Amino acid sequence: METVFSGIQPTGELHFGNYLGAIRNWVALQEKYRCFFCIVDYHAMTQNYDPAEMSRRTLDMATDLLSCGIDPDKSVLFVQSSVPEHAELCWILNTVTPFGELARMTQFKDKAERQEDNINVGLFDYPVLQAADILLYKAKLVPVGADQVQHLELAREICRKSTARWGQYFPEPQPLLSSTPKILGLDGQAKMSKSIGNTISLGEPDDVIRKKLATAATDPQRVRRKDPGNPDNCNLHSLHAFFSSQEQVAWVREGCASASIGCLDCKKVLADNVVSHLAPIQQKRQAFAASPGRVEEILREGGRKARAVATETLAEVRKLIGLWS
Ligand code: SF4
């Protein structure tokens, strides 16, 4: 079985963007591959955060991942900081990473612009830690969305540099490109993001979900009910593609373009489908919430399994690069 590595930041509860863009795919991947799924709290530290909240956010994220179907009997689910070898390998890889390559990373430039008061070295070094995350488990496959392609390219470059410097050891990771179209936030403008406040969380009550969808942005050309719309310009149409039947998607396309349905009709069908899709996930969430120790136990066991692999890799790497031991 080939190894897959993927990580997610401990942002607290999962939202639709995470679920549709990544986690549904993770659930499918665990049937075919040896998967390491990591809650990347070291990465999250590169942004301003409240230390009193980090631990809760990590547990909430783990609870949501398990509720969505990540199965600890099939995958290794763990927290990055419970395996300190991530940081050690990051340091080692720093010594073969060209400064200029890191300076080119568009995510660094974007984040630096957004957090001018906290442009820390960790933010700059973020892609090297990502390379370490992947290479520590000798993962051959990494599921990536379009915004992560540049970082994975750099991880591949770092892998080649390490081979040139110390000899062949790490396999060069390959992207597993997701076919999921981009899901915008409820404002229809930007990617779903908790900090922008344009998301729906998987744990939200039914009435909140219905209300949020009812007020979500639609095709801006459809000002009045009798105005024909273009579903391709409407983010809610993309959501129908995930949650509604083929017949319903066809009904939306035809009804929107001919103005035979109104946006409220369309949103009601979507809300019904979303609520019934999320019902089993929310039931599992409640079951985990009723036994909080269970999630911690799963993370500890995942940490033990990940660390067993990581210490073995580090022992071999230390020998390869000539460190005293
Ligand atoms: S009818 Fe549906 S797809 Fe068309 S603009 Fe309204 S909400 Fe969007």
Side-chain angles (χ1 to χ4, degrees):
M1 254 193 191
E2 287 188 330
T3 301
V4 167
F5 179 93
S6 198
I8 188 162
Q9 287 210 18
T11 49
E13 291 181 1
L14 277 173
H15 60 65
F16 271 26
N18 310 130
Y19 175 63
L20 300 175
I23 309 309
R24 274 179 359 137
N25 190 29
W26 286 14
V27 173
L29 290 174
Q30 65 184 351
E31 302 301 329
K32 280 173 60 185
Y33 300 106
R34 174 183 179 238
C35 293
F36 289 83
F37 296 131
C38 182
I39 300 177
V40 290
D41 51 355
Y42 281 159
H43 284 287
M45 290 172 66
T46 60
Q47 291 166 37
N48 295 324
Y49 73 98
D50 179 356
E53 287 287 301
M54 182 66 101
S55 182
R56 184 196 54 75
R57 279 168 39 186
T58 302
L59 282 177
D60 282 350
M61 179 54 72
T63 305
D64 272 0
L65 292 173
L66 292 164
S67 305
C68 287
I70 298 302
D71 181 346
D73 291 331
K74 293 177 182 165
S75 304
V76 180
L77 176 66
F78 69 106
V79 181
Q80 189 180 29
S81 63
S82 64
V83 184
E85 285 77 10
H86 284 252
E88 186 176 350
L89 185 58
C90 175
W91 180 257
I92 291 167
L93 297 177
N94 275 334
T95 67
V96 291
T97 304
F99 183 91
E101 292 286 335
L102 283 181
R104 283 194 316 109
M105 294 293 115
T106 50
Q107 264 198 33
F108 169 69
K109 292 178 194 162
D110 292 346
K111 286 183 182 171
E113 248 175 50
R114 288 206 300 269
Q115 55 183 69
E116 276 178 336
D117 60 328
N118 182 16
I119 306 175
N120 58 77
V121 175
L123 195 63
F124 188 70
D125 204 31
Y126 194 111
V128 185
L129 182 56
Q130 274 189 325
D133 298 338
I134 299 163
L135 298 181
L136 196 52
Y137 303 97
K138 299 179 196 159
K140 282 204 179 150
L141 297 168
V142 182
V144 283
D147 57 343
Q148 288 296 327
V149 168
Q150 195 186 31
H151 281 187
L152 184 63
E153 263 316 308
L154 180 63
R156 287 157 54 79
E157 174 68 16
I158 291 171
C159 184
R160 291 192 288 269
K161 295 270 183 204
S162 86
T163 300
R165 176 94 167 264
W166 297 306
Q168 174 68 49
Y169 178 72
F170 295 113
E172 201 170 304
Q174 305 294 326
L176 254 180
L177 282 165
S178 149
S179 56
T180 309
K182 196 171 172 184
I183 303 296
L184 295 176
L186 297 175
D187 53 6
Q189 303 283 322
K191 196 175 152 183
M192 262 197 196
S193 158
K194 227 174 171 180
S195 57
I196 302 177
N198 61 355
T199 61
I200 296 180
S201 297
L202 298 194
E204 273 179 312
D206 295 358
D207 57 333
V208 176
I209 293 174
R210 287 180 188 282
K211 204 165 159 192
K212 284 191 173 181
L213 287 174
T215 52
T218 59
D219 175 4
Q221 300 301 316
R222 243 198 132 180
V223 181
R224 290 159 303 185
R225 193 190 189 288
K226 63 179 185 184
D227 297 334
N230 180 354
D232 294 330
N233 292 339
C234 179
N235 189 42
L236 296 189
H237 178 251
S238 313
L239 291 177
H240 268 292
F242 288 107
F243 294 106
S244 304
S245 67
Q246 282 186 357
E247 291 73 29
Q248 287 169 326
V249 173
W251 170 78
V252 169
R253 285 202 77 80
E254 201 283 317
C256 179
S258 64
S260 62
I261 62 166
C263 289
L264 283 179
D265 309 318
C266 178
K267 286 171 166 181
K268 178 165 183 327
V269 171
L270 178 62
D272 289 344
N273 293 340
V274 167
V275 165
S276 61
H277 184 98
L278 294 186
I281 295 176
Q282 294 194 346
Q283 276 163 17
K284 271 185 154 184
R285 247 178 135 259
Q286 278 163 10
F288 279 116
S291 53
R294 174 81 187 112
V295 175
E296 297 199 68
E297 211 177 279
I298 290 170
L299 289 179
R300 289 219 170 84
E301 179 56 22
R304 275 192 287 275
K305 286 182 188 164
R307 194 145 195 223
V309 177
T311 49
E312 199 180 307
T313 301
L314 249 300
E316 289 169 357
V317 167
R318 288 172 65 90
K319 206 166 167 191
L320 183 78
I321 66 178
L323 295 184
W324 176 84
S325 59

